Amino acid sequence: MVEGVLVEERVPGHCHRLVTFRNRFVFAFTRHPKAVVGDGERTVAQLIEKAQTARAKKVAYKAEKAFPLDKEAVDTLAEQDLQPESVPASEQIVCLRRVNTPEDGGHNETITDEVHADNCRLAERISRMFRLESMGLDLISSDPTRPWYETGACITEVNSVPEIGSNSARIYIETMFSEQRGSVPVHCYIGDAAATEKAEAHRARLEQDGVSAMLTSHKQTLGANGEEIRFKNAERLFERVAALQNDTQSEAIVVVIHDDEVLYRGRPMLCVSTVQRVNDSAEIVVGSRTILAG
C-alpha cells in the first residue's frame, strides 16, 4: 500500500441530476460532456462553427465554454464512429470530450420522462431521510432508464439547494399553491374619512377571524396588530402597498384610496379582491381628475 494515495472504484456512466420537491420527483437531466446536437444536415465541424457563432452573441455572464475541435475532440469523435466531416442524425448528441468537467463545460439533456420509476423512488426516499424540501440527487449510472440496483449506480452528491430553472420552477409553484391563491387578497375602499373608518373596521374583522391583515393609505400604514408601520421616503400609496405585499406577515391588505395617485402611477397590485365606494355618488372627483368607483 502506498501512503497518501486513495484509490476509488470507477463507476461507469454519466451524472444524472434527479430533482425532488416536497418528497416528489419532479425533474431530471443528464450531464453530458461538451457536445453539439445533430440536425441531420450539418457536419460535426459545421455544428461546432454554428455553436461558436451563437456563443459569441451571448452576453458575458451567459456565455458557454468554447466548443473545441482539437485532437482530444477528434479522438472522442472517433470513439463514437464519427469524424469532423460526419453528418449526425437529428437530435443525436455528439460529444467533444470524454467527461463533463468545469473547465470544458457540458451539455444537459432533459430525461424526466425516461427515468426508471425505481430511480425516482430512490430520490424521493433520500429526500425524506434528509428532510429536504428541495433536493438535487446526483446519480452516476450507465442507463437511467434501468433501476439503479441493476446498473451498479452510485450516488455522488445530495444537494440541499439545487438550482431552480425554467423546467422545475413551474412545478415548484404548482405544488406550493395547488389548493390556495398565490397572491395576497387586496380590499380597496375609495372615499374620504368615511372610507378610512370602513377600512379600519374591515381590517379589525379580518383580525378577529385570525387573518393577519394590514391597512394602508398614502399617509398611514397599520400592521397586523394595529400598530403604525413607519416608512422612510415612502409617502405615496404605491410604495406602501408594494412594501406590504413583500411582508411575509401579510395575509390580507386593506387599501384606502383618498386621491388620484392610481390614475397616473398605476395599480401597485396585480389584482384587487374587492372594491367599495364609500361616498354616495357614483364617482369621486379629486382635483381635476375623476375616479370611477362603480
Side-chain angles (χ1 to χ4, degrees):
M1 178 178 177
V2 180
E3 294 185 2
V5 177
L6 176 64
V7 179
E8 295 184 344
E9 179 183 357
R10 179 181 181 275
V11 180
H14 291 303
C15 177
H16 311 283
R17 168 61 65 92
L18 277 61
V19 179
T20 65
F21 182 67
R22 293 186 176 174
N23 304 325
R24 182 168 68 89
F25 169 76
V26 295
F27 179 67
F29 62 89
T30 297
R31 292 189 175 107
H32 290 287
K34 195 69 175 179
V36 291
V37 182
D39 60 8
E41 298 179 359
R42 295 179 175 85
T43 66
V44 173
Q46 290 172 333
L47 291 171
I48 293 176
E49 182 180 358
K50 177 185 176 184
Q52 297 285 35
T53 301
R55 170 181 175 272
K57 294 180 180 179
K58 293 184 178 180
V59 293
Y61 76 95
K62 285 189 175 182
E64 300 173 320
K65 304 285 185 178
F67 291 79
L69 190 51
D70 52 14
K71 184 180 183 303
E72 182 179 350
V74 173
D75 291 343
T76 304
L77 289 173
E79 294 173 1
Q80 303 166 79
D81 296 325
L82 294 170
Q83 299 176 351
E85 299 76 22
S86 302
V87 178
S90 178
E91 302 301 323
Q92 179 181 351
I93 296 175
V94 179
C95 295
L96 305 175
R97 289 288 187 261
R98 292 183 176 88
V99 294
N100 182 311
T101 64
E103 293 76 18
D104 295 320
H107 172 81
N108 293 337
E109 177 191 13
T110 300
I111 59 167
T112 304
D113 298 331
E114 303 170 23
V115 180
H116 193 279
D118 283 349
N119 296 335
C120 298
R121 283 191 282 268
L122 172 67
E124 292 172 346
R125 187 167 75 247
I126 292 176
S127 71
R128 293 195 299 271
M129 290 173 59
F130 285 93
R131 292 169 173 79
L132 297 174
E133 181 178 56
S134 182
M135 183 196 73
L137 181 78
D138 288 346
L139 183 73
I140 304 296
S141 172
S142 58
D143 187 357
T145 66
R146 296 172 55 198
W148 59 269
Y149 48 82
E150 290 184 1
T151 61
C154 174
I155 296 173
T156 59
E157 181 179 344
V158 175
N159 194 320
S160 62
V161 190
E163 181 179 351
I164 299 177
S166 57
N167 293 289
S168 53
R170 180 176 295 277
I171 299 174
Y172 281 31
I173 293 173
E174 290 175 351
T175 302
M176 294 175 69
F177 301 107
S178 58
E179 297 179 357
Q180 56 183 328
R181 292 175 57 92
S183 60
V184 176
V186 178
H187 307 278
C188 291
Y189 287 82
I190 302 176
D192 48 23
T196 300
E197 295 178 3
K198 287 187 174 291
E200 290 175 345
H202 190 165
R203 194 207 66 79
R205 289 195 301 271
L206 290 171
E207 184 178 0
Q208 291 176 356
D209 293 338
V211 178
S212 179
M214 300 185 179
L215 179 147
T216 190
S217 65
H218 69 287
K219 289 184 177 180
Q220 185 181 44
T221 300
L222 303 180
N225 55 5
E227 295 182 357
E228 183 175 3
I229 299 176
R230 298 185 181 276
F231 293 96
K232 183 178 181 180
N233 300 325
E235 297 303 321
R236 293 185 178 276
L237 189 66
F238 194 99
E239 287 81 4
R240 288 175 178 264
V241 175
L244 294 185
Q245 289 183 116
N246 289 324
D247 192 321
T248 56
Q249 288 188 334
S250 295
E251 296 178 353
I253 301 174
V254 183
V255 179
V256 184
I257 300 176
H258 288 311
D259 58 22
D260 61 348
E261 178 185 341
V262 294
L263 293 179
Y264 58 86
R265 285 293 303 276
R267 294 184 303 173
M269 71 291 286
L270 285 177
C271 58
V272 177
S273 301
T274 62
V275 177
Q276 182 172 342
R277 182 186 70 251
V278 176
N279 291 51
D280 294 336
S281 59
E283 58 187 30
I284 301 172
V285 179
V286 183
S288 60
R289 297 178 181 268
T290 301
I291 299 178
L292 298 178

